[in-house]
Amino acid sequence: MDTKAIRTALRRWGLYVRTFIKWTAAAAVIGAACGLVGTLFHFGVHEVTAFRGTHPWVLYLLPLAGLVIVGFYKLTGTDGLGTDDIIDAVHQGKLLPILLLPAIFFGTILTHLCGGSAGREGAALQMGGTIGQYLGRHFQLDDRDLRVATLAGMAAFFSALFGTPLAATVFAIMVISIGVIYHVALYPSLLAALVAYGVSIHLGVEPTRFAVSVPEQTVGMFVRVALLGVLCALVSILFCQVMHGAGHLMKRIRNPWLRVVCGGAAIIVLTLIFGTDYNGAGMEIVTAAVEQGTVAVPWAFLLKLIFTAITLAAGFKGGEVVPSFFVGATFGCAAAPLLGLPAGFGAAVGLAAVFCGVTNCPLASTLLAVELFGAEGLLYFALACCLSYMLSGYQGLYSSQTILYSKLKAQFINVHTNAHHAGEKTE
């Protein structure tokens, strides 16, 4: 080999080495930061939820909490920003204001404190993406690398909250554009997720895990699981339509201060009628459905959907994914006995399949189920998620999400979710 060829080879391998060092350093810092903030957020939500349980009167402060949230978002200049803007930061290189971090942090804490129905992962994606991009700018990363840093932050914060680093990684790099995996972000996102997971575990955050009994694999059982997957696809369509419909409906109240007060008052009335099971994240209800096979009423999934749609449409803060866990688990628990499935196992399948239908991420949903419930039911979870993905159409929680390839044919379509219909011809 001549000298020129050797120099060329060394330059090439030098590029790989520099890239490895760059992302090892950046992802480790992003993961550590997300792990620390994620742990604070986890314990914050946990403590205010416990406080609400022993002081039920705080429910009546929900309209006031809404006014504080609206005022804080306006004060920080983050009014109107949400998860769709995090997705746009990856798609378009949109810059995220660092003040979004405290805004979504305290907004979600206040929502949970006073009984709004919301999850944590919307906040996780927003805070993680903001941290990732902010630290990436301090590392002087270019525009393309900033997008990867944003994905790494999303994966890290999700991992810190749920203790699912593999699912968090795959979800972050797949939820942006369905049909394309951001392979360049695999190592940074996984390393950041693992670091954040390690930090959260070290600081005392228990990873989310469920004990579920998986039935023996038989043809009949696969058929039953397939039927449940089909039903979950329909539930996921309903979930997305109600969430987006409530948003459009509440926007008819143009004044955001009045909107959030009306929404808070509606949640108070609904809680007085139906009880407190549907306030907050509701993970204890999910646990009961999966591990005990019990659900308060068969239509609990509908009530949770209504509570969540009103809460988020009114202007309170949080996420939609944990409510989708609740909806999927309670629906699966109620529907499973009708299909000849164990109720707890049906709740586990329902959780994964509805999550898949609303996020359009079958691989991430399957991995999430494995990390939450164990690998024994892998094939069942995969079947239900694949069916839910295919049959849920082009609905989705995030309107900035793009679906690049058709769910019906091997055809490039490049459309946004909620803006395309199954079977529609594209030019």
Side-chain angles (χ1 to χ4, degrees), residues 278 295-303 327 330-335 338:
Y278 312 100
V295 62
V297 291
W299 52 89
F301 72 99
L302 286 175
L303 293 175
V327 169
T330 53
F331 172 78
C333 186
L338 303 177

Side-chain angles (χ1 to χ4, degrees), residues 218-426:
T218 65
V219 173
M221 198 59 64
F222 275 108
V223 171
R224 294 181 179 93
V225 169
L227 290 174
L228 182 55
V230 171
L231 294 176
C232 287
L234 300 178
V235 172
S236 67
I237 292 173
L238 176 66
F239 191 101
C240 293
Q241 289 185 339
V242 170
M243 293 298 297
H244 292 300
H248 292 310
L249 186 63
M250 290 295 286
K251 284 181 180 178
R252 293 184 179 180
I253 306 175
R254 296 187 179 277
N255 187 310
W257 307 92
L258 178 60
R259 185 189 309 142
V260 79
V261 168
C262 290
I267 294 298
I268 292 173
V269 172
L270 288 172
T271 302
L272 294 176
I273 296 173
F274 297 108
T276 59
D277 284 351
Y278 312 100
N279 301 116
M283 286 300 290
E284 67 282 356
I285 307 299
V286 175
T287 301
V290 174
E291 296 190 344
Q292 302 168 24
T294 59
V295 62
V297 291
W299 52 89
F301 72 99
L302 286 175
L303 293 175
K304 183 62 174 178
L305 177 52
I306 293 169
F307 271 69
T308 304
I310 293 174
T311 297
L312 298 181
F316 294 95
K317 300 303 173 182
E320 306 93 339
V321 168
V322 172
S324 82
F325 288 177
F326 186 116
V327 169
T330 53
F331 172 78
C333 186
L338 303 177
L339 299 173
L341 292 169
F345 173 65
V349 172
L351 184 154
V354 170
F355 172 72
C356 176
V358 300
T359 61
N360 294 297
C361 294
L363 181 56
S365 302
T366 302
L367 292 174
L368 178 72
V370 169
E371 290 189 295
L372 292 179
F373 309 120
E376 188 179 356
L378 171 61
L379 292 179
Y380 288 133
F381 299 136
L383 176 62
C385 288
C386 287
L387 282 168
S388 182
Y389 169 75
M390 181 177 69
L391 298 177
S392 60
Y394 297 92
Q395 309 291 324
L397 287 178
Y398 313 120
S399 296
S400 290
Q401 181 185 57
T402 57
I403 298 182
L404 297 180
Y405 287 89
S406 170
K407 293 188 178 186
L408 305 177
K409 292 183 179 182
Q411 177 183 356
F412 182 78
I413 56 174
N414 190 22
V415 298
H416 283 93
T417 53
N418 310 310
H420 191 74
H421 300 285
E424 179 181 327
K425 293 183 179 180
T426 56

Side-chain angles (χ1 to χ4, degrees), residues 113-287:
L113 171 64
C114 297
S117 176
R120 299 171 293 170
E121 85 307 319
L125 296 178
Q126 292 176 48
M127 285 189 282
T130 302
I131 291 171
Q133 189 189 87
Y134 178 78
L135 291 176
R137 292 202 296 269
H138 279 269
F139 274 99
Q140 297 183 336
L141 301 179
D142 62 25
D143 173 68
R144 292 295 172 180
D145 283 346
L146 277 180
R147 304 182 193 208
V148 174
T150 304
L151 292 175
M154 292 165 63
F157 215 105
F158 195 106
S159 175
L161 287 185
F162 292 101
T164 56
L166 186 56
T169 298
V170 176
F171 179 68
I173 65 177
M174 292 188 70
V175 72
I176 305 299
S177 297
I178 307 305
V180 169
I181 300 177
Y182 287 79
H183 290 87
V184 70
L186 269 171
Y187 173 65
S189 296
L190 180 59
L191 179 58
L194 288 172
V195 170
Y197 175 58
V199 169
S200 66
I201 291 293
H202 181 72
L203 294 177
V205 177
E206 291 290 332
T208 304
R209 298 291 185 268
F210 300 94
V212 59
S213 179
V214 177
E216 183 181 352
Q217 292 181 7
T218 65
V219 173
M221 198 59 64
F222 275 108
V223 171
R224 294 181 179 93
V225 169
L227 290 174
L228 182 55
V230 171
L231 294 176
C232 287
L234 300 178
V235 172
S236 67
I237 292 173
L238 176 66
F239 191 101
C240 293
Q241 289 185 339
V242 170
M243 293 298 297
H244 292 300
H248 292 310
L249 186 63
M250 290 295 286
K251 284 181 180 178
R252 293 184 179 180
I253 306 175
R254 296 187 179 277
N255 187 310
W257 307 92
L258 178 60
R259 185 189 309 142
V260 79
V261 168
C262 290
I267 294 298
I268 292 173
V269 172
L270 288 172
T271 302
L272 294 176
I273 296 173
F274 297 108
T276 59
D277 284 351
Y278 312 100
N279 301 116
M283 286 300 290
E284 67 282 356
I285 307 299
V286 175
T287 301

